Amino acid sequence: MSYKEPLQLSDLPWDDVIFRHIFPLLKVADLCHLQGVSKDFQQLYIDYMCSCEKLDFSECTMTNSSLQKVLVVNCKNLQTLLVGNCGNWFSMGCWQVITQHQSQLRHINTASCWDINDRTLGEFFHKCNKLRVIELNKMELITDTILHYLATNCPHLEHLNVASCWYITDKGLKKVVEYCKVLRILDVRFCPRLTEQYLYSLYLRGINVKSDYSLARMVKRRKHVNNLGINVQI
């Protein structure tokens, strides 16, 4: 009776099985640890990262240097980067690495990543100007200035999430709507400085707005204003 070596993970078809059905289910941190198992796994990791279009670090615990190595050395085809709720380690240096090495991004989520300033985000939007989905929710330092940078550099934007960004106002949002002609989805829940009047005007433009005001309530109030013959400028 002949003896057969036990089947290893690396013996499975890489592109059709591992890269398509197994690795997408693992956290990025686990993939990083996997490469230390053997030379075969190291090559498996490198090949996957080179072809990977989406990385999800959400709620992962990693070091700044580990992320930078992934983004600079390994990922050459990245289009989606999710680092939501990673504010305890996602630093200004990470932003700068993304800006320098991942300018082809189409979707980024940095929810609750608070180590940021106007200048760094301005440089990011200037370089990563192909973005279609931007999620900046729960980033308290987002201001109208940052929305101006975003608007003037990201004309392909379709989906913007700035929920719980307390400092943004109608002025900043108007700039986004003016320059981002294909904007279709806007999440502005828990943004107390935005007015009901302006958000209603966005509904009329066909933008799917998620806000603290219900559409039914806004329509009712608008009809009431019209019935009173009051000319309200929006």
Side-chain angles (χ1 to χ4, degrees), residues 155-170:
H156 307 293
L157 183 65
E158 300 174 3
H159 181 161
L160 175 63
N161 186 343
V162 285
S164 298
C165 294
W166 299 336
Y167 296 110
I168 65 173
T169 69
D170 291 354

Side-chain angles (χ1 to χ4, degrees), residues 26-164:
L26 300 178
K27 293 182 178 180
V28 178
D30 294 330
L31 292 175
C32 292
H33 292 312
L34 183 65
Q35 65 174 323
V37 174
S38 68
K39 290 184 177 180
D40 285 342
F41 282 132
Q42 183 180 42
Q43 190 58 52
L44 191 63
Y45 166 85
I46 291 173
D47 286 4
Y48 176 69
M49 287 300 182
C50 287
S51 63
C52 188
E53 295 184 354
K54 176 181 177 180
L55 284 182
D56 188 353
F57 290 91
S58 299
E59 301 183 359
C60 287
T61 300
M62 290 190 67
T63 63
N64 192 309
S65 58
S66 295
L67 174 67
Q68 293 188 24
K69 182 179 179 181
V70 169
L71 296 180
V72 175
V73 179
N74 303 125
C75 292
K76 306 300 182 182
N77 196 36
L78 188 58
Q79 295 191 29
T80 299
L81 178 62
L82 310 179
V83 287
N85 301 312
C86 295
N88 59 324
W89 59 268
F90 190 81
S91 69
M92 200 84 71
C94 296
W95 279 106
Q96 293 166 352
V97 168
I98 295 170
T99 300
Q100 294 173 13
H101 299 280
Q102 297 295 338
S103 61
Q104 301 302 311
L105 279 176
R106 300 296 194 275
H107 177 183
I108 189 165
N109 181 330
T110 56
S112 299
C113 295
W114 53 79
D115 187 10
I116 193 60
N117 57 38
D118 290 359
R119 179 180 176 181
T120 301
L121 262 183
E123 293 173 349
F124 168 76
F125 290 132
H126 178 71
K127 191 70 177 292
C128 299
N129 53 24
K130 297 180 177 63
L131 284 162
R132 297 181 182 275
V133 180
I134 300 175
E135 299 180 86
L136 307 173
N137 45 307
K138 298 181 181 178
M139 293 175 64
E140 297 178 5
L141 297 181
I142 299 297
T143 63
D144 285 348
T145 299
I146 291 177
L147 291 185
H148 176 82
Y149 290 140
L150 183 158
T152 53
N153 287 285
C154 301
H156 307 293
L157 183 65
E158 300 174 3
H159 181 161
L160 175 63
N161 186 343
V162 285
S164 298

